[in-house]
Amino acid sequence: MSDSSKRQVFCSKHAWFIPFVCLLVGGALIGISTNLAKYAGDLGMTPLAFLFWSITGAALILWIVALIRQELPPLSVRSFEYYFVAALISVAGSNLLLFSAIPHVGAGFVALIISLPPLLTYLGALLLRMERFTIMRAFGVAAALMGAGVLALRKFTAPDASVFWILIALCGPVLLAIGNIYRTLRWPDNASPSALAPGMLIAAALLLLAFSAVPNFSVTVPLSEWLPLVLIVIQAGVFAGQFLLLFLLQKTGGPVLLSLLGSVGAVVGVPVAIFLQGESPPSGLFLGASLIALGVALVTWGGVKMSTDNMLDPK
């Protein structure tokens, strides 16, 4: 093998590092976000109000980042379609469902079910020929799904289970999986992650503001205390990091690795809900979390192996 080929293989073997870091940090932010949403409800904020102002703050942060990097969101018909469809599926719709369900099913459960999109994303990517089938990655996705499934089934069988809100919460992962596929397929040409993220969040804020026109929905925040405002600022920072890493991971790791953000979020979010929010540990937590961790490892390693094989044998 020539020196050039060896360098290419070396780079390929280490190309997993950035996606893997994005996966771990972005997933951790998702786990933190679900717990902040529960705390916001305890302070008297509605899910819509907390989500709207947090998304608006995150959009402002990412807009400033894009301005500094001179990578402003592209303004074309294609990009506007991308912003609003992605915002509706991946941000406004999915998060509003999940945040609304948190007071009824708990932050720990929501943190767990956002690990469900991998199977749907993987199947969609296979059907659309965006991914090549490999045993290792398929087994990894199945393991992560089984881990979340164990915990979700235990939730359904709990004596105080709210079936309606459990079903509402489960709609969130479906939208997230659709969003993973859509954003990959419709990624505007030559657009960078730091340019697309603020565009999508601005669109999401506008959609949430429009939704506030519906009776009994409001974006009003209680201003009698300073704590709700502090929480919104913290969540805005979490959202900014989460969605910037989401786009970077989408560009470098593909839709299936991207879908495992929720699995990492579950591993982080559940302990936070238990130890800091005082929630009871979900039944089957050890088995579920172990399967999720195994799934993340297999899908990540499977991607590294595929990348190396493609470099060694481009055909």
Side-chain angles (χ1 to χ4, degrees):
M1 185 184 296
S2 66
D3 290 341
S4 176
S5 297
K6 289 180 180 178
R7 282 195 299 270
Q8 286 182 321
V9 171
F10 177 83
C11 292
S12 177
K13 285 182 177 179
H14 291 80
W16 62 272
F17 183 73
I18 291 178
F20 187 67
V21 171
C22 291
L23 176 64
L24 293 183
V25 178
L29 291 176
I30 290 175
I32 293 169
S33 175
T34 57
N35 283 277
L36 290 175
K38 181 183 179 182
Y39 192 42
D42 294 340
L43 294 177
M45 279 187 280
T46 65
L48 179 62
F50 183 59
L51 186 59
F52 168 73
W53 290 110
S54 300
I55 289 293
T56 301
L60 179 61
I61 293 171
L62 292 183
W63 181 272
I64 293 172
V65 171
L67 190 63
I68 293 172
R69 299 184 63 175
Q70 297 184 343
E71 294 181 347
L72 293 178
L75 304 177
S76 64
V77 174
R78 167 76 177 279
S79 60
F80 275 105
E81 173 227 306
Y82 186 89
Y83 299 147
F84 279 93
V85 175
L88 178 62
I89 299 171
S90 304
V91 185
S94 56
N95 280 287
L96 189 56
L97 290 175
L98 294 170
F99 280 23
S100 298
I102 283 174
H104 306 278
V105 299
F109 178 71
V110 169
L112 288 169
I113 64 168
I114 55 177
S115 64
L116 293 176
L119 179 61
L120 297 175
T121 304
Y122 187 64
L123 292 176
L126 285 176
L127 290 173
L128 296 171
R129 298 183 180 179
M130 298 165 62
E131 286 276 340
R132 194 177 71 218
F133 179 82
T134 64
I135 296 295
M136 185 181 293
R137 299 196 97 189
F139 186 74
V141 170
L145 181 69
M146 286 172 58
V150 166
L151 296 159
L153 287 173
R154 297 293 179 91
K155 186 72 175 180
F156 265 117
T157 57
D160 58 344
S162 174
V163 176
F164 173 78
W165 283 108
I166 290 174
L167 292 175
I168 289 294
L170 288 172
C171 290
V174 176
L175 291 180
L176 290 173
I178 294 172
N180 292 339
I181 297 293
Y182 172 81
R183 290 193 311 275
T184 298
L185 287 175
R186 297 295 293 168
W187 189 287
D189 296 335
N190 302 319
S192 69
S194 56
L196 294 179
M200 184 183 74
L201 291 187
I202 291 170
L206 292 174
L207 290 172
L208 291 168
L209 184 61
F211 191 73
S212 69
V214 177
N216 301 321
F217 287 89
S218 172
V219 295
T220 303
V221 174
L223 299 177
S224 56
E225 297 182 3
W226 56 269
L227 199 53
L229 296 178
V230 171
L231 197 63
I232 287 173
V233 171
I234 294 173
Q235 181 72 301
V238 169
F239 270 148
Q242 175 186 324
F243 285 106
L244 184 59
L245 290 172
L246 180 146
F247 274 95
L248 184 58
L249 179 59
Q250 181 129 27
K251 192 68 174 175
T252 59
V256 176
L257 189 61
L258 174 73
S259 71
L260 289 174
L261 276 170
S263 300
V264 179
V267 173
V268 174
V270 174
V272 171
I274 293 171
F275 294 111
L276 298 184
Q277 301 269 31
E279 293 188 3
S280 300
S283 181
L285 177 61
F286 178 77
L287 176 60
S290 299
L291 287 169
I292 287 169
L294 175 63
V296 171
L298 288 176
V299 171
T300 304
W301 178 247
V304 175
K305 188 174 183 302
M306 264 199 329
S307 202
T308 304
D309 291 345
N310 288 339
M311 186 64 67
L312 291 171
D313 185 12
K315 294 181 181 181

